């Protein structure tokens, strides 16, 4: 009864039950609502203080989101006992996210001159390398993988011919992070022992669906195609298939089902935009702001939620809810 393994397993089980009944990220978002309201009310003063405007805010918001995601992915994980060393590909996924975040930030800073390296700069560089190396020490090649991903992304971004597209690049990083969380939620403290409740899976689904909306609106042109009768039948068919995929994802919590559901959702949204006579592109950027807010809530990063609120506030007013209904 007092065996060490039994005691530890009992504690883990109790913690798991508590986590299932009260998802921490959700209650954190509820408690932080007053802070988010203040950010929205003071958005003009905050944006002016930061020196941002409607021409550079997208670039700045995206760059900070990529950088903070890279820091989060390095610092926030850490339960290596559940990595299933011989089976898990999570280290490779994390390295991919580190690479993409480094590539994104470096590509947007490529025109700025490098600082003159002195003793303090070298200490900062060595400190960053040490932190990234220590983020994956469950096998001998873990530090090499993570540091290599960081350095490769930085070098390629520095010598890139163009910057990564802000919306597409950030959505790629965000969805990669969501996939990593779904692969092993206990590693990121999103859920314990891989078990998720309805609040967890619905939050991830909302993030993915809004991301697909943003991509469809910003990349598909409204041309008034598809006859109305045919469109209605196709739309209902896609609705049923998306609903089936969502239910299956809630039941299985499987990454392939999640990605398949997002693919179906994108086809449905793209079809809706293509069928429309015109579609306000501002709605696509507002949906991107919602992606940042959802991502900040899931990862418990209030700064990213604040960035999404600032970007939403600086965009022109439009009939966003009408466009939401048109896509659905």
């Amino acid at each position: 009864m007092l065996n060490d393994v039994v005691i530890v397993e009992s504690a883990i089980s109790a913690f798991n039950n508590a986590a299932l009944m009260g998802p921490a990220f959700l209650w954190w978002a509820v408690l932080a609502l007053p802070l988010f309201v203040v950010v929205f009310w003071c958005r003009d003063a905050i944006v002016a203080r930061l020196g941002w405007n409607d021409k550079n805010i997208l670039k700045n918001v995206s760059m900070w989101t990529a950088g903070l995601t890279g820091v989060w992915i390095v610092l926030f994980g850490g339960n290596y006992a559940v990595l299933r060393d011989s089976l898990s590909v999570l280290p490779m996924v994390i390295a991919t996210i580190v690479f993409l975040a480094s590539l994104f930030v470096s590509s947007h800073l490529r025109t700025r001159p490098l600082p003159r390296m002195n003793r303090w700069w070298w200490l900062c560089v060595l400190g960053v390398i040490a932190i990234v190396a220590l983020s994956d020490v469950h096998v001998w090649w873990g530090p090499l993988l993570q540091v290599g991903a960081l350095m490769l992304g930085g070098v390629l971004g520095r010598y890139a011919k163009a910057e990564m597209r802000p919306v597409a690049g950030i959505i790629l990083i965000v969805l990669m992070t969501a996939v990593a969380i779904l692969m092993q939620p206990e590693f990121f403290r999103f859920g314990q022992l891989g078990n998720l409740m309805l609040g967890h899976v619905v939050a991830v689904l909302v993030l993915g669906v809004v991301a697909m909306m943003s991509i469809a609106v910003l990349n598909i042109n409204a041309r008034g195609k598809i006859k109305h009768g045919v469109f209605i039948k196709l739309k209902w068919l896609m609705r049923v298939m998306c609903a089936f995929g969502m239910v299956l994802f809630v039941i299985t919590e499987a990454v392939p089902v999640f990605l398949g559901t997002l693919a179906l959702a994108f086809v449905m949204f793209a079809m809706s935009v293509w069928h429309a006579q015109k579609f306000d592109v501002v709605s696509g950027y507002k949906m991107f702001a919602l992606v940042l807010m959802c991502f900040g809530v899931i990862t418990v990063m209030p700064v990213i939620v604040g960035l999404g609120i600032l970007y939403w506030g600086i965009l022109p007013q439009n009939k966003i809810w009408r466009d939401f209904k048109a896509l659905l």
Side-chain angles (χ1 to χ4, degrees), residues 34 80 86 89 103 108 126 138 145 153 174 188 201 211-212 228 231 246 258 271-272 278 280 295 304 324:
Y80 293 105
S86 61
V89 296
L103 178 65
H108 282 266
L126 293 176
H138 76 291
L145 177 66
V174 164
F188 298 105
V201 294
M212 293 301 101
H228 186 70
F231 172 74
M246 291 178 182
F258 173 70
M271 185 174 63
S272 299
K278 62 179 180 178
D280 192 353
F295 182 65
I304 292 184
F324 263 118

PDB file of all heavy atoms in Angstrom, residues 34 80 86 89 103 108 126 138 145 153 174 188 201 211-212 228 231 246 258 271-272 278 280 295 304 324:
ATOM      1  N   PRO A  34     -10.944  40.993 -17.403  1.00  0.00           N
ATOM      2  CA  PRO A  34     -10.803  42.438 -17.127  1.00  0.00           C
ATOM      3  C   PRO A  34      -9.545  43.042 -17.752  1.00  0.00           C
ATOM      4  O   PRO A  34      -9.577  44.168 -18.256  1.00  0.00           O
ATOM      5  CB  PRO A  34     -10.756  42.499 -15.595  1.00  0.00           C
ATOM      6  CG  PRO A  34     -11.476  41.270 -15.143  1.00  0.00           C
ATOM      7  CD  PRO A  34     -11.143  40.225 -16.161  1.00  0.00           C
ATOM      8  N   TYR A  80       9.609  14.848 -19.531  1.00  0.00           N
ATOM      9  CA  TYR A  80      10.235  13.903 -20.448  1.00  0.00           C
ATOM     10  C   TYR A  80       9.923  12.447 -20.101  1.00  0.00           C
ATOM     11  O   TYR A  80      10.178  11.553 -20.888  1.00  0.00           O
ATOM     12  CB  TYR A  80      11.745  14.122 -20.474  1.00  0.00           C
ATOM     13  CG  TYR A  80      12.104  15.438 -21.091  1.00  0.00           C
ATOM     14  CD1 TYR A  80      12.524  16.489 -20.309  1.00  0.00           C
ATOM     15  CD2 TYR A  80      11.962  15.639 -22.455  1.00  0.00           C
ATOM     16  CE1 TYR A  80      12.828  17.717 -20.865  1.00  0.00           C
ATOM     17  CE2 TYR A  80      12.264  16.857 -23.014  1.00  0.00           C
ATOM     18  CZ  TYR A  80      12.696  17.895 -22.218  1.00  0.00           C
ATOM     19  OH  TYR A  80      12.976  19.104 -22.784  1.00  0.00           O
ATOM     20  N   SER A  86      11.155   5.709 -27.431  1.00  0.00           N
ATOM     21  CA  SER A  86      11.338   4.927 -28.653  1.00  0.00           C
ATOM     22  C   SER A  86      10.247   5.166 -29.688  1.00  0.00           C
ATOM     23  O   SER A  86      10.367   4.711 -30.822  1.00  0.00           O
ATOM     24  CB  SER A  86      11.379   3.434 -28.311  1.00  0.00           C
ATOM     25  OG  SER A  86      10.150   3.039 -27.707  1.00  0.00           O
ATOM     26  N   VAL A  89       7.585  11.295 -31.731  1.00  0.00           N
ATOM     27  CA  VAL A  89       8.243  12.190 -32.682  1.00  0.00           C
ATOM     28  C   VAL A  89       8.097  13.641 -32.222  1.00  0.00           C
ATOM     29  O   VAL A  89       8.378  14.565 -32.993  1.00  0.00           O
ATOM     30  CB  VAL A  89       7.653  12.024 -34.101  1.00  0.00           C
ATOM     31  CG1 VAL A  89       7.930  10.629 -34.638  1.00  0.00           C
ATOM     32  CG2 VAL A  89       6.151  12.317 -34.114  1.00  0.00           C
ATOM     33  N   LEU A 103      13.142  31.175 -38.314  1.00  0.00           N
ATOM     34  CA  LEU A 103      13.137  31.603 -39.710  1.00  0.00           C
ATOM     35  C   LEU A 103      12.259  32.827 -39.905  1.00  0.00           C
ATOM     36  O   LEU A 103      12.635  33.780 -40.612  1.00  0.00           O
ATOM     37  CB  LEU A 103      12.650  30.445 -40.587  1.00  0.00           C
ATOM     38  CG  LEU A 103      12.518  30.717 -42.089  1.00  0.00           C
ATOM     39  CD1 LEU A 103      13.876  30.994 -42.710  1.00  0.00           C
ATOM     40  CD2 LEU A 103      11.834  29.532 -42.783  1.00  0.00           C
ATOM     41  N   HIS A 108      12.276  38.676 -41.059  1.00  0.00           N
ATOM     42  CA  HIS A 108      11.744  40.030 -40.899  1.00  0.00           C
ATOM     43  C   HIS A 108      12.783  41.003 -40.357  1.00  0.00           C
ATOM     44  O   HIS A 108      12.554  42.224 -40.390  1.00  0.00           O
ATOM     45  CB  HIS A 108      10.523  39.999 -39.985  1.00  0.00           C
ATOM     46  CG  HIS A 108       9.276  39.523 -40.658  1.00  0.00           C
ATOM     47  ND1 HIS A 108       8.355  40.372 -41.225  1.00  0.00           N
ATOM     48  CD2 HIS A 108       8.802  38.274 -40.885  1.00  0.00           C
ATOM     49  CE1 HIS A 108       7.377  39.675 -41.765  1.00  0.00           C
ATOM     50  NE2 HIS A 108       7.618  38.398 -41.567  1.00  0.00           N
ATOM     51  N   LEU A 126      25.404  32.781 -26.054  1.00  0.00           N
ATOM     52  CA  LEU A 126      25.699  31.499 -25.405  1.00  0.00           C
ATOM     53  C   LEU A 126      24.588  31.105 -24.440  1.00  0.00           C
ATOM     54  O   LEU A 126      24.261  29.920 -24.306  1.00  0.00           O
ATOM     55  CB  LEU A 126      27.037  31.579 -24.675  1.00  0.00           C
ATOM     56  CG  LEU A 126      28.280  31.730 -25.574  1.00  0.00           C
ATOM     57  CD1 LEU A 126      29.534  31.895 -24.730  1.00  0.00           C
ATOM     58  CD2 LEU A 126      28.419  30.512 -26.492  1.00  0.00           C
ATOM     59  N   HIS A 138      16.388  14.476 -23.098  1.00  0.00           N
ATOM     60  CA  HIS A 138      15.987  13.096 -22.791  1.00  0.00           C
ATOM     61  C   HIS A 138      16.811  12.083 -23.578  1.00  0.00           C
ATOM     62  O   HIS A 138      16.850  10.912 -23.221  1.00  0.00           O
ATOM     63  CB  HIS A 138      14.489  12.911 -23.062  1.00  0.00           C
ATOM     64  CG  HIS A 138      14.131  12.797 -24.504  1.00  0.00           C
ATOM     65  ND1 HIS A 138      14.238  13.865 -25.375  1.00  0.00           N
ATOM     66  CD2 HIS A 138      13.669  11.760 -25.239  1.00  0.00           C
ATOM     67  CE1 HIS A 138      13.855  13.483 -26.572  1.00  0.00           C
ATOM     68  NE2 HIS A 138      13.508  12.219 -26.534  1.00  0.00           N
ATOM     69  N   LEU A 145      19.697  18.659 -31.932  1.00  0.00           N
ATOM     70  CA  LEU A 145      18.550  18.866 -32.811  1.00  0.00           C
ATOM     71  C   LEU A 145      17.947  20.255 -32.608  1.00  0.00           C
ATOM     72  O   LEU A 145      17.705  20.990 -33.584  1.00  0.00           O
ATOM     73  CB  LEU A 145      17.497  17.789 -32.552  1.00  0.00           C
ATOM     74  CG  LEU A 145      16.193  17.897 -33.344  1.00  0.00           C
ATOM     75  CD1 LEU A 145      16.446  17.685 -34.824  1.00  0.00           C
ATOM     76  CD2 LEU A 145      15.164  16.890 -32.818  1.00  0.00           C
ATOM     77  N   GLY A 153      17.373  28.050 -38.884  1.00  0.00           N
ATOM     78  CA  GLY A 153      16.308  29.008 -39.177  1.00  0.00           C
ATOM     79  C   GLY A 153      16.830  30.434 -39.204  1.00  0.00           C
ATOM     80  O   GLY A 153      16.461  31.231 -40.074  1.00  0.00           O
ATOM     81  N   VAL A 174       1.273  28.461 -35.655  1.00  0.00           N
ATOM     82  CA  VAL A 174       0.207  28.227 -34.671  1.00  0.00           C
ATOM     83  C   VAL A 174      -0.355  26.815 -34.805  1.00  0.00           C
ATOM     84  O   VAL A 174      -0.538  26.098 -33.803  1.00  0.00           O
ATOM     85  CB  VAL A 174      -0.896  29.286 -34.853  1.00  0.00           C
ATOM     86  CG1 VAL A 174      -2.172  28.861 -34.134  1.00  0.00           C
ATOM     87  CG2 VAL A 174      -0.431  30.638 -34.328  1.00  0.00           C
ATOM     88  N   PHE A 188       2.907  19.566 -22.466  1.00  0.00           N
ATOM     89  CA  PHE A 188       2.723  21.017 -22.395  1.00  0.00           C
ATOM     90  C   PHE A 188       1.745  21.421 -21.297  1.00  0.00           C
ATOM     91  O   PHE A 188       1.262  22.551 -21.290  1.00  0.00           O
ATOM     92  CB  PHE A 188       2.230  21.546 -23.741  1.00  0.00           C
ATOM     93  CG  PHE A 188       3.202  21.326 -24.863  1.00  0.00           C
ATOM     94  CD1 PHE A 188       2.971  20.341 -25.810  1.00  0.00           C
ATOM     95  CD2 PHE A 188       4.344  22.084 -24.964  1.00  0.00           C
ATOM     96  CE1 PHE A 188       3.869  20.138 -26.847  1.00  0.00           C
ATOM     97  CE2 PHE A 188       5.246  21.886 -25.994  1.00  0.00           C
ATOM     98  CZ  PHE A 188       5.008  20.909 -26.937  1.00  0.00           C
ATOM     99  N   VAL A 201     -10.707  20.117 -26.377  1.00  0.00           N
ATOM    100  CA  VAL A 201     -10.811  19.818 -27.808  1.00  0.00           C
ATOM    101  C   VAL A 201     -11.606  20.886 -28.550  1.00  0.00           C
ATOM    102  O   VAL A 201     -11.302  21.210 -29.705  1.00  0.00           O
ATOM    103  CB  VAL A 201     -11.420  18.414 -28.030  1.00  0.00           C
ATOM    104  CG1 VAL A 201     -10.489  17.335 -27.521  1.00  0.00           C
ATOM    105  CG2 VAL A 201     -12.793  18.281 -27.379  1.00  0.00           C
ATOM    106  N   ALA A 211      -8.625  29.716 -38.159  1.00  0.00           N
ATOM    107  CA  ALA A 211      -7.435  29.824 -39.012  1.00  0.00           C
ATOM    108  C   ALA A 211      -7.779  29.490 -40.459  1.00  0.00           C
ATOM    109  O   ALA A 211      -7.322  30.169 -41.395  1.00  0.00           O
ATOM    110  CB  ALA A 211      -6.334  28.902 -38.498  1.00  0.00           C
ATOM    111  N   MET A 212      -8.582  28.449 -40.674  1.00  0.00           N
ATOM    112  CA  MET A 212      -8.990  28.100 -42.036  1.00  0.00           C
ATOM    113  C   MET A 212      -9.856  29.195 -42.658  1.00  0.00           C
ATOM    114  O   MET A 212      -9.753  29.472 -43.857  1.00  0.00           O
ATOM    115  CB  MET A 212      -9.767  26.777 -42.022  1.00  0.00           C
ATOM    116  CG  MET A 212      -8.933  25.567 -41.631  1.00  0.00           C
ATOM    117  SD  MET A 212      -7.518  25.276 -42.724  1.00  0.00           S
ATOM    118  CE  MET A 212      -6.180  25.944 -41.730  1.00  0.00           C
ATOM    119  N   HIS A 228     -26.514  28.636 -57.770  1.00  0.00           N
ATOM    120  CA  HIS A 228     -26.997  28.712 -56.389  1.00  0.00           C
ATOM    121  C   HIS A 228     -27.548  27.378 -55.895  1.00  0.00           C
ATOM    122  O   HIS A 228     -27.269  26.962 -54.770  1.00  0.00           O
ATOM    123  CB  HIS A 228     -28.083  29.788 -56.281  1.00  0.00           C
ATOM    124  CG  HIS A 228     -28.533  30.028 -54.873  1.00  0.00           C
ATOM    125  ND1 HIS A 228     -27.734  30.631 -53.924  1.00  0.00           N
ATOM    126  CD2 HIS A 228     -29.709  29.718 -54.240  1.00  0.00           C
ATOM    127  CE1 HIS A 228     -28.384  30.691 -52.783  1.00  0.00           C
ATOM    128  NE2 HIS A 228     -29.585  30.154 -52.942  1.00  0.00           N
ATOM    129  N   PHE A 231     -24.703  25.078 -55.263  1.00  0.00           N
ATOM    130  CA  PHE A 231     -23.941  25.552 -54.107  1.00  0.00           C
ATOM    131  C   PHE A 231     -24.602  25.143 -52.793  1.00  0.00           C
ATOM    132  O   PHE A 231     -23.926  24.713 -51.851  1.00  0.00           O
ATOM    133  CB  PHE A 231     -23.787  27.069 -54.178  1.00  0.00           C
ATOM    134  CG  PHE A 231     -23.193  27.669 -52.933  1.00  0.00           C
ATOM    135  CD1 PHE A 231     -21.845  27.528 -52.650  1.00  0.00           C
ATOM    136  CD2 PHE A 231     -23.997  28.360 -52.035  1.00  0.00           C
ATOM    137  CE1 PHE A 231     -21.289  28.084 -51.501  1.00  0.00           C
ATOM    138  CE2 PHE A 231     -23.461  28.907 -50.887  1.00  0.00           C
ATOM    139  CZ  PHE A 231     -22.107  28.768 -50.622  1.00  0.00           C
ATOM    140  N   MET A 246     -15.721  16.749 -36.751  1.00  0.00           N
ATOM    141  CA  MET A 246     -15.595  17.343 -35.420  1.00  0.00           C
ATOM    142  C   MET A 246     -16.006  16.364 -34.331  1.00  0.00           C
ATOM    143  O   MET A 246     -15.329  16.241 -33.301  1.00  0.00           O
ATOM    144  CB  MET A 246     -16.440  18.615 -35.331  1.00  0.00           C
ATOM    145  CG  MET A 246     -15.908  19.763 -36.173  1.00  0.00           C
ATOM    146  SD  MET A 246     -16.975  21.220 -36.077  1.00  0.00           S
ATOM    147  CE  MET A 246     -16.117  22.337 -37.194  1.00  0.00           C
ATOM    148  N   PHE A 258      -8.065  15.619 -36.720  1.00  0.00           N
ATOM    149  CA  PHE A 258      -8.049  17.071 -36.583  1.00  0.00           C
ATOM    150  C   PHE A 258      -7.636  17.740 -37.896  1.00  0.00           C
ATOM    151  O   PHE A 258      -8.295  18.662 -38.377  1.00  0.00           O
ATOM    152  CB  PHE A 258      -7.090  17.457 -35.456  1.00  0.00           C
ATOM    153  CG  PHE A 258      -6.854  18.932 -35.307  1.00  0.00           C
ATOM    154  CD1 PHE A 258      -7.857  19.771 -34.842  1.00  0.00           C
ATOM    155  CD2 PHE A 258      -5.622  19.487 -35.631  1.00  0.00           C
ATOM    156  CE1 PHE A 258      -7.638  21.137 -34.702  1.00  0.00           C
ATOM    157  CE2 PHE A 258      -5.392  20.844 -35.493  1.00  0.00           C
ATOM    158  CZ  PHE A 258      -6.400  21.673 -35.032  1.00  0.00           C
ATOM    159  N   MET A 271     -15.120  27.456 -50.850  1.00  0.00           N
ATOM    160  CA  MET A 271     -16.256  27.356 -51.750  1.00  0.00           C
ATOM    161  C   MET A 271     -17.235  28.509 -51.512  1.00  0.00           C
ATOM    162  O   MET A 271     -17.783  29.086 -52.475  1.00  0.00           O
ATOM    163  CB  MET A 271     -16.953  26.010 -51.538  1.00  0.00           C
ATOM    164  CG  MET A 271     -18.088  25.721 -52.497  1.00  0.00           C
ATOM    165  SD  MET A 271     -18.721  24.042 -52.254  1.00  0.00           S
ATOM    166  CE  MET A 271     -19.323  24.165 -50.549  1.00  0.00           C
ATOM    167  N   SER A 272     -17.430  28.880 -50.241  1.00  0.00           N
ATOM    168  CA  SER A 272     -18.342  29.984 -49.917  1.00  0.00           C
ATOM    169  C   SER A 272     -17.814  31.307 -50.453  1.00  0.00           C
ATOM    170  O   SER A 272     -18.576  32.125 -50.990  1.00  0.00           O
ATOM    171  CB  SER A 272     -18.533  30.065 -48.399  1.00  0.00           C
ATOM    172  OG  SER A 272     -19.108  28.879 -47.892  1.00  0.00           O
ATOM    173  N   LYS A 278     -18.836  39.266 -53.847  1.00  0.00           N
ATOM    174  CA  LYS A 278     -17.724  40.011 -53.264  1.00  0.00           C
ATOM    175  C   LYS A 278     -17.592  39.614 -51.793  1.00  0.00           C
ATOM    176  O   LYS A 278     -18.558  39.166 -51.167  1.00  0.00           O
ATOM    177  CB  LYS A 278     -17.927  41.515 -53.397  1.00  0.00           C
ATOM    178  CG  LYS A 278     -19.155  42.064 -52.688  1.00  0.00           C
ATOM    179  CD  LYS A 278     -19.239  43.577 -52.860  1.00  0.00           C
ATOM    180  CE  LYS A 278     -20.489  44.104 -52.129  1.00  0.00           C
ATOM    181  NZ  LYS A 278     -20.578  45.593 -52.231  1.00  0.00           N
ATOM    182  N   ASP A 280     -15.449  40.941 -48.145  1.00  0.00           N
ATOM    183  CA  ASP A 280     -14.606  41.961 -47.518  1.00  0.00           C
ATOM    184  C   ASP A 280     -13.326  41.330 -46.976  1.00  0.00           C
ATOM    185  O   ASP A 280     -13.362  40.486 -46.082  1.00  0.00           O
ATOM    186  CB  ASP A 280     -15.376  42.635 -46.381  1.00  0.00           C
ATOM    187  CG  ASP A 280     -14.686  43.886 -45.881  1.00  0.00           C
ATOM    188  OD1 ASP A 280     -13.550  44.157 -46.335  1.00  0.00           O
ATOM    189  OD2 ASP A 280     -15.267  44.601 -45.046  1.00  0.00           O
ATOM    190  N   PHE A 295      -5.140  31.377 -29.784  1.00  0.00           N
ATOM    191  CA  PHE A 295      -3.846  30.754 -29.534  1.00  0.00           C
ATOM    192  C   PHE A 295      -3.263  31.211 -28.207  1.00  0.00           C
ATOM    193  O   PHE A 295      -2.705  30.406 -27.447  1.00  0.00           O
ATOM    194  CB  PHE A 295      -2.887  31.085 -30.677  1.00  0.00           C
ATOM    195  CG  PHE A 295      -1.538  30.449 -30.545  1.00  0.00           C
ATOM    196  CD1 PHE A 295      -1.392  29.069 -30.592  1.00  0.00           C
ATOM    197  CD2 PHE A 295      -0.407  31.230 -30.370  1.00  0.00           C
ATOM    198  CE1 PHE A 295      -0.147  28.470 -30.476  1.00  0.00           C
ATOM    199  CE2 PHE A 295       0.844  30.652 -30.255  1.00  0.00           C
ATOM    200  CZ  PHE A 295       0.974  29.267 -30.304  1.00  0.00           C
ATOM    201  N   ILE A 304       0.091  37.438 -26.241  1.00  0.00           N
ATOM    202  CA  ILE A 304      -0.400  37.171 -27.599  1.00  0.00           C
ATOM    203  C   ILE A 304      -1.884  37.509 -27.707  1.00  0.00           C
ATOM    204  O   ILE A 304      -2.335  38.019 -28.738  1.00  0.00           O
ATOM    205  CB  ILE A 304      -0.126  35.704 -27.981  1.00  0.00           C
ATOM    206  CG1 ILE A 304       1.392  35.486 -28.113  1.00  0.00           C
ATOM    207  CG2 ILE A 304      -0.817  35.345 -29.290  1.00  0.00           C
ATOM    208  CD1 ILE A 304       1.787  34.110 -28.574  1.00  0.00           C
ATOM    209  N   PHE A 324     -19.006  35.942 -41.118  1.00  0.00           N
ATOM    210  CA  PHE A 324     -18.914  34.647 -40.408  1.00  0.00           C
ATOM    211  C   PHE A 324     -20.067  33.745 -40.823  1.00  0.00           C
ATOM    212  O   PHE A 324     -19.872  32.564 -41.135  1.00  0.00           O
ATOM    213  CB  PHE A 324     -18.958  34.876 -38.901  1.00  0.00           C
ATOM    214  CG  PHE A 324     -17.621  34.905 -38.253  1.00  0.00           C
ATOM    215  CD1 PHE A 324     -17.162  36.034 -37.615  1.00  0.00           C
ATOM    216  CD2 PHE A 324     -16.791  33.783 -38.268  1.00  0.00           C
ATOM    217  CE1 PHE A 324     -15.908  36.069 -37.011  1.00  0.00           C
ATOM    218  CE2 PHE A 324     -15.543  33.791 -37.669  1.00  0.00           C
ATOM    219  CZ  PHE A 324     -15.103  34.932 -37.034  1.00  0.00           C
TER     220      PHE A 324
END
